[in-house]
Structures are given as structure tokens and as C-alpha cells.
């Protein structure tokens, strides 16, 4: 029998730890340190190849991305980002990652290669939520400008489109900031989408046509959503107090909004009809109607005394996990709307909740050597590097050596590791000339249509490869002689940028492997 888990994070700097705990027992199974992520800035990297699972976490205090695996509690990989992200989302198949910023800009990366496909201004204000549909056809974005956009993923990752992408739909019916977006299960032509806002409403949309089906009106601001897997209902969390209990503590409720209702026919039997009919407006939590014999018509989860920030349903929709801005986590039975247990592990506001099935990495009967290998993931690039047909990423011959994606400069080089001999030598100029020769040669071959071996190519291409090999040997001899020097020469060194030995070695390694592949 599979075990269901919950992965939770906090945005409080004093907390800085993500916890993985058993959804049914409440016991903590693991913790992941150095993790302070803002609201909705933790995303799971799903895979369908029976590989080890990863999750990404954008940091709240700096433009950094932390990557974690379930196999250890420390950061698996960290790398800088071009901007500080305030929300994060990954596609259902784990192919793409999207990040939103304070200024309304959105970044799209390919997770396995780290290629930055596109950077575009999606909104006028802060991006509050990003989501992908279940079939990865579209991406949703919501913002403080009260607009929700629907973007076709195919246009966002198409490197041949040079102009800024235009949204497929723009939903402008909300009047205050968008707080959450949830998409139902199904393909583009059959899915329904729910958006929530601070204007006390949630709106149900038809994804195939982009039309508004129903508006749900609540007595409080709505801060988070959870969509039933079978789409019978959705849950909406309140960000403002609805009432005062007997203990003089404000109640922050979770409303259950039914998407189907009973209808009595003249023949004497009862049928179900969808609420997205001709009414157009549904009042939830206002006691206007009676549903399922509940007094006052309120289908609510009552127990939080602080603004609720996040919601998550388990695999079959039988259990609900909620968190508030004081770090309180509660597990509910959905059918009875009763709280099962309360967990107080976090110290600050809950910023994300993910209900998952226990991955293979965490089974106790699996030894460390038998655990699956981690999914491939490359540090995200900070500048766009579009693909160029089958020839790999496009490279400009005028770019610096650090911008060539085929030459990886070691990021761990420190001032202590720099060789003083290289500070005033001209070997970096020779290395740059080698790189330019290689880039020019590769561009000529990619632009052509001939894919045969080097010996059967045109005489000019063969000559360029021979010159490149000659420069390799010359450069290696010079570097070997310089590394054998114990002290630098006495003459004064001119002022120019220094190149570390690790930089040269990494560049040579990338250049050799690239040439071997082209010769093959």
C-alpha cells in the first residue's frame, strides 16, 4: 500500500526548513535546510522514467535557486538566477520551469538542459501565481494587476518567434489581485479552470473557449484554492475573518463550493445538474440555500484562527491539508469536514503545501546503492540561448568565451586558486582565438547540409580543423611549460584581466569534446 506525504515550506527567515511528513500519522520523515521560499515558490520536478525525484525552491531573500532531492537533507544544487523570483511552477511532465518576478516578468527554462527559452513581460505588476495545465498545453499566470493570462506553451518555447508572445486568453473579470489558479484534469478542449481573487469571488472558466461559466461570491477574501480530482467541488480558503467563535477568536474558514446540485424533476426522481448553467452567480457561505441538510447552507471547515495561506488535497481528494500565516498545519477529513490532526512544526507563514505519494527514494527496504538515479537537471542559464536546428544552441562568434554554452567555466574558482603566472600572460588571447576559429567553423558546417566525415568535407573545412588541432597542441605546450614555473618572471605585469588555471582546463576539455563529436 502506498503512503501519502506532505511537503511544506515557510517564508519566515527564522524557520528556513522544509519538512516532509506522513499525511496519515503526522510524523516527520525528513527536513531540508537552507530553504526560505516565498509564497508558491516551491515546485516539484515530476518524471515518468522511474528516476529519483527533485524539487526546486526559489529563495525569498536573494535571486538563488535551491534544488533538493529526497535522498539527503542538504541542498543538492544551488545556482544564481537572473532575477529574484516570487513564484515558481513546473510543467506536469517535468520538462519546463516558469518563474515570475516582482516587475511582472516571466522566465521559461528547460529543466534538463537549463536553456532559457524566453523572458517576457507578462503583467504590469507582481506575478502572484503560475500554473501549467495537466497536459502541458497552456500556462496560466495571475498578477496583482487583477488579470489572469492563458499562454500557449508551444509559443513560449518556440525560439523562431522573435516578437514578444501574446496571451491566448486574457481574463479581466476580477477587480482585485489574483491569488490562485487551479486547472482541472483533462486536455485543452475539456478542462475547466478556477481563479480566485481578493475581490471575494472565484470564477469558473471553460478552457477551450475562454468563456466565464460561473462566478462564486464569498463573504471573505479568498487566498488559496484546491480542486477536487473528480471535479465535484472546489475548496476556497479565507484570508479575512468570517465570524467570532465563543472563545473570542476569529474564525478563518475553508469553504466547500459544490459544482453540481440536486434537481427534483416533475416525475418524482432526483438528478444532478452543473452549477455552470444559466444562473451565472452562486453565493457560497452566505446561508442563502441549504445543501445536504447543513443548517444555513454553509459547507465550511472551521478550525483556523489566522489567515489561511495554502491548501492541498491528497491523491483521491479524501484528505485536505491547510496552513495559515502562523505556521499551523491542519489535516481534515473532507467527507465529514472534521479536523483529524494539527501539526505545529513551522515557525512562520506557510508558503507552499504539496501532497505527494511516497517516492522510491524514501522506502526503508531500499539500500542506498539501489536507490534510483536523480533526474537530469542543469543550472539555469541567465541569458537566452535558443536552439538552432539540430546543431545545438546558437552561438555568436563575437561573444566572450564565458558565453559559449559548449565551454563550461568552473564556477568554484576563488582568488586563492588563481595562478599569478596567468595574470600577465597572453594565453587567454590565444584561447579566445581558438574558440573563435571553432565557432566560425561550426557555424559554417551547421549552415550547410553536408553531414559526412571531416575527411570528405570541403577543403576549407578540413583545413580549419587541421589548424585548430595545431593550435591545441601549441596551447597545451605553452600551458605545460607555464605550470612548471615555480615563480613568475620578474618583469612588471601589465594590467589586464586574469584567467585561472581551472578556467583554461575547463575550456580545453569542452573544446576537445566538441571537436571529437564533430569529427565523429
Amino acid at each position: 500500500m502506498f503512503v501519502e506525504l506532505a511537503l511544506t515550506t515557510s517564508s519566515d527567515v527564522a524557520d528556513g526548513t522544509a519538512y516532509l511528513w506522513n499525511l496519515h500519522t503526522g510524523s516527520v520523515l525528513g527536513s531540508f535546510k537552507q530553504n526560505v521560499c516565498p509564497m508558491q515558490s516551491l515546485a516539484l520536478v515530476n518524471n515518468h522514467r522511474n528516476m529519483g525525484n527533485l524539487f526546486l525552491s526559489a529563495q525569498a531573500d536573494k535571486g538563488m535557486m535551491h534544488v533538493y532531492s529526497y535522498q539527503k537533507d542538504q541542498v543538492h544544487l544551488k545556482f544564481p538566477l537572473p532575477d529574484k523570483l516570487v513564484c515558481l511552477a513546473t510543467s506536469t511532465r517535468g520538462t519546463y520551469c516558469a518563474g515570475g518576478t516582482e516587475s511582472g516578468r516571466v522566465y521559461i527554462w528547460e529543466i534538463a538542459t537549463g536553456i532559457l527559452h524566453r523572458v517576457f513581460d507578462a503583467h504590469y505588476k507582481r506575478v502572484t501565481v503560475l500554473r501549467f495545465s495537466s497536459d502541458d498545453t497552456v500556462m496560466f499566470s495571475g498578477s496583482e494587476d487583477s488579470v489572469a493570462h492563458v499562454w500557449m506553451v508551444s509559443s513560449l518555447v518556440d525560439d523562431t518567434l522573435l516578437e514578444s508572445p501574446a496571451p491566448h486568453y486574457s481574463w479581466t473579470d476580477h477587480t482585485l489581485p489574483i491569488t490562485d489558479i487551479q486547472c482541472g484534469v483533462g486536455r485543452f478542449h475539456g478542462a475547466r479552470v478556477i481563479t480566485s481573487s481578493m475581490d471575494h469571488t472565484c470564477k469558473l472558466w471553460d478552457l477551450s473557449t475562454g468563456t466565464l461559466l460561473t462566478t462564486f461570491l464569498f463573504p471573505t477574501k479568498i487566498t488559496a484554492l484546491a480542486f477536487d480530482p473528480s471535479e465535484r467541488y472546489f475548496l476556497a480558503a479565507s484570508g479575512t475573518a468570517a465570524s467570532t467563535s465563543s472563545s473570542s477568536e476569529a474564525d478563518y474558514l475553508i469553504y466547500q463550493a459544490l459544482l453540481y446540485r440536486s434537481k427534483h424533476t416533475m416525475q418524482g426522481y432526483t438528478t444532478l445538474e452543473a452549477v455552470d448553467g444559466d444562473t451565472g452567480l452562486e453565493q457560497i457561505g452566505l446561508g442563502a440555500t441549504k445543501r445536504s441538510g447543513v443548517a444555513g447552507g454553509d459547507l465550511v471547515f472551521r478550525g483556523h484562527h489566522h489567515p489561511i495561506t495554502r491548501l492541498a488535497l491528497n491523491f483521491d481528494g479524501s484528505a485536505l491539508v491547510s496552513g495559515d500565516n502562523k505556521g499551523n498545519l491542519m489535516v481534515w477529513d473532507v467527507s465529514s469536514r472534521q479536523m483529524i490532526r494539527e501539526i505545529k512544526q513551522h515557525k512562520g507563514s506557510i508558503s507552499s503545501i504539496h501532497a505527494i505519494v511516497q517516492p522510491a527514494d524514501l522506502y526503508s527496504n531500499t539500500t542506498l546503492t539501489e536507490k534510483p538515479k536523480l533526474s537530469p537537471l542543469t543550472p539555469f542559464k541567465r541569458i537566452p540561448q535558443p536552439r538552432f536546428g539540430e546543431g545545438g544552441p546558437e552561438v555568436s562568434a563575437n561573444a566572450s568565451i564565458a558565453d559559449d554554452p559548449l565551454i563550461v567555466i568552473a564556477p568554484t574558482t576563488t582568488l586563492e586558486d588563481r595562478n599569478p603566472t596567468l595574470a600577465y600572460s597572453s594565453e587567454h588571447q590565444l584561447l579566445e582565438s581558438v574558440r573563435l576559429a571553432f565557432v566560425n567553423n561550426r557555424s559554417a558546417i551547421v549552415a550547410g547540409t553536408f553531414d559526412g566525415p571531416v575527411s570528405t568535407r570541403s577543403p576549407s573545412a578540413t583545413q580549419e580543423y587541421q589548424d585548430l588541432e595545431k593550435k591545441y597542441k601549441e596551447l597545451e605546450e605553452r600551458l605545460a611549460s607555464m605550470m612548471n614555473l615555480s615563480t613568475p618572471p620578474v618583469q612588471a605585469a601589465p594590467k589586464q584581466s586574469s584567467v585561472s588555471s581551472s578556467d583554461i582546463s575547463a575550456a580545453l576539455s569542452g573544446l576537445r569534446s566538441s571537436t571529437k563529436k564533430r569529427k565523429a
Side-chain angles (χ1 to χ4, degrees):
M1 181 179 179
F2 63 88
V3 179
E4 292 181 306
L5 310 176
L7 178 64
T8 59
T9 61
S10 172
S11 59
D12 193 346
V13 179
D15 194 336
T17 304
Y19 292 98
L20 186 69
W21 44 278
N22 191 306
L23 189 61
H24 302 287
T25 63
S27 58
V28 177
L29 300 181
S31 60
F32 306 93
K33 303 175 182 179
Q34 302 179 27
N35 188 0
V36 181
C37 65
M39 195 68 61
Q40 305 196 68
S41 294
L42 183 138
L44 307 180
V45 181
N46 298 323
N47 64 82
H48 305 279
R49 294 169 298 199
N50 195 27
M51 303 186 73
N53 292 271
L54 300 171
F55 61 91
L56 310 176
S57 176
Q59 299 305 294
D61 54 346
K62 51 191 173 182
M64 291 288 296
M65 181 76 76
H66 288 187
V67 183
Y68 295 87
S69 71
Y70 298 111
Q71 301 178 11
K72 60 179 181 180
D73 59 351
Q74 298 294 332
V75 180
H76 172 70
L77 178 68
K78 64 173 66 175
F79 49 85
L81 296 170
D83 200 349
K84 187 173 73 171
L85 302 182
V86 295
C87 61
L88 199 66
T90 54
S91 59
T92 305
R93 294 178 178 85
T95 306
Y96 302 108
C97 176
T101 67
E102 286 274 2
S103 61
R105 184 171 297 176
V106 173
Y107 293 80
I108 303 293
W109 289 279
E110 187 177 45
I111 296 178
T113 62
I115 292 176
L116 176 58
H117 280 287
R118 192 173 297 276
V119 183
F120 62 99
D121 293 324
H123 295 273
Y124 295 103
K125 294 184 179 180
R126 173 193 176 105
V127 181
T128 56
V129 57
L130 293 171
R131 289 281 186 273
F132 284 87
S133 60
S134 58
D135 62 349
D136 289 345
T137 304
V138 298
M139 185 190 75
F140 308 94
S141 64
S143 170
E144 290 183 351
D145 59 10
S146 73
V147 178
H149 288 313
V150 181
W151 310 86
M152 301 301 295
V153 175
S154 58
S155 63
L156 297 180
V157 300
D158 188 358
D159 300 326
T160 61
L161 300 178
L162 301 180
E163 65 276 5
S164 180
H168 190 65
Y169 301 129
S170 291
W171 295 331
T172 60
D173 291 52
H174 287 291
T175 58
L176 288 177
I178 305 295
T179 57
D180 204 354
I181 300 175
Q182 293 292 332
C183 181
V185 179
R187 296 185 178 273
F188 178 81
H189 294 287
R192 294 184 294 178
V193 183
I194 301 176
T195 59
S196 64
S197 172
M198 301 293 285
D199 60 4
H200 293 219
T201 65
C202 292
K203 296 182 182 293
L204 182 67
W205 308 85
D206 178 62
L207 184 57
S208 61
T209 62
T211 57
L212 176 63
L213 300 177
T214 307
T215 298
F216 297 87
L217 179 62
F218 296 85
T220 61
K221 298 178 181 179
I222 302 302
T223 56
L225 294 173
F227 209 172
D228 175 46
S230 59
E231 299 188 19
R232 300 166 296 174
Y233 60 86
F234 71 90
L235 302 171
S238 62
T240 53
S243 62
T244 303
S245 63
S246 58
S247 60
S248 300
E249 290 182 308
D251 278 338
Y252 292 82
L253 307 178
I254 302 173
Y255 300 97
Q256 184 178 9
L258 301 179
L259 298 180
Y260 297 90
R261 58 188 170 198
S262 301
K263 180 181 180 181
H264 299 283
T265 63
M266 297 180 61
Q267 288 77 13
Y269 58 87
T270 303
T271 61
L272 292 178
E273 67 173 5
V275 300
D276 52 349
D278 299 330
T279 57
L281 179 65
E282 286 286 320
Q283 298 182 6
I284 306 297
L286 299 175
T289 59
K290 293 185 178 181
R291 299 186 179 93
S292 303
V294 179
D298 293 340
L299 297 176
V300 298
F301 296 74
R302 191 184 303 270
H304 280 282
H305 301 297
H306 303 282
I308 304 171
T309 56
R310 303 306 312 143
L311 296 177
L313 283 168
N314 68 335
F315 178 79
D316 58 356
S318 61
L320 170 69
V321 185
S322 61
D324 57 33
N325 64 356
K326 295 298 182 181
N328 300 313
L329 290 166
M330 296 184 183
V331 183
W332 309 80
D333 178 68
V334 175
S335 60
S336 63
R337 293 180 293 280
Q338 297 296 318
M339 184 179 64
I340 301 175
R341 65 182 51 84
E342 183 176 3
I343 301 174
K344 295 184 178 180
Q345 195 72 41
H346 291 282
K347 301 177 182 178
S349 176
I350 303 298
S351 59
S352 62
I353 301 176
H354 290 273
I356 61 175
V357 177
Q358 182 171 348
D361 310 49
L362 295 177
Y363 280 103
S364 58
N365 58 355
T366 303
T367 62
L368 186 60
T369 57
E370 296 174 349
K371 292 190 178 191
K373 296 181 180 180
L374 297 178
S375 303
L377 187 144
T378 304
F380 293 168
K381 302 296 188 297
R382 304 181 68 181
I383 57 176
Q385 293 175 342
R387 297 184 181 276
F388 186 76
E390 296 297 331
E394 183 180 0
V395 181
S396 172
N398 296 323
S400 65
I401 190 171
D403 295 331
D404 193 338
L406 297 180
I407 300 178
V408 180
I409 304 300
T412 57
T413 303
T414 61
L415 293 176
E416 291 77 12
D417 297 330
R418 297 183 181 274
N419 192 331
T421 306
L422 298 178
Y424 44 82
S425 69
S426 61
E427 297 306 315
H428 65 285
Q429 298 177 359
L430 178 60
L431 182 61
E432 184 69 11
S433 64
V434 173
R435 188 198 68 82
L436 291 177
F438 170 71
V439 171
N440 291 330
N441 189 19
R442 186 185 64 175
S443 300
I445 295 173
V446 171
T449 59
F450 186 76
D451 295 329
V454 177
S455 58
T456 59
R457 286 182 181 145
S458 62
S460 60
T462 305
Q463 183 62 35
E464 289 181 1
Y465 271 110
Q466 292 176 355
D467 294 342
L468 188 60
E469 291 178 348
K470 182 179 179 181
K471 290 184 179 181
Y472 279 154
K473 295 179 181 179
E474 181 182 355
L475 182 60
E476 288 179 346
E477 293 175 357
R478 287 174 178 260
L479 290 177
S481 60
M482 292 178 63
M483 293 304 176
N484 293 330
L485 295 177
S486 58
T487 58
V490 181
Q491 62 269 25
K495 294 183 179 180
Q496 53 183 340
S497 59
S498 61
V499 178
S500 68
S501 58
S502 58
D503 292 351
I504 299 296
S505 301
L508 283 175
S509 176
L511 217 50
R512 291 194 201 96
S513 60
S514 300
T515 304
K516 289 179 181 178
K517 291 180 181 178
R518 292 296 176 185
K519 285 186 175 182

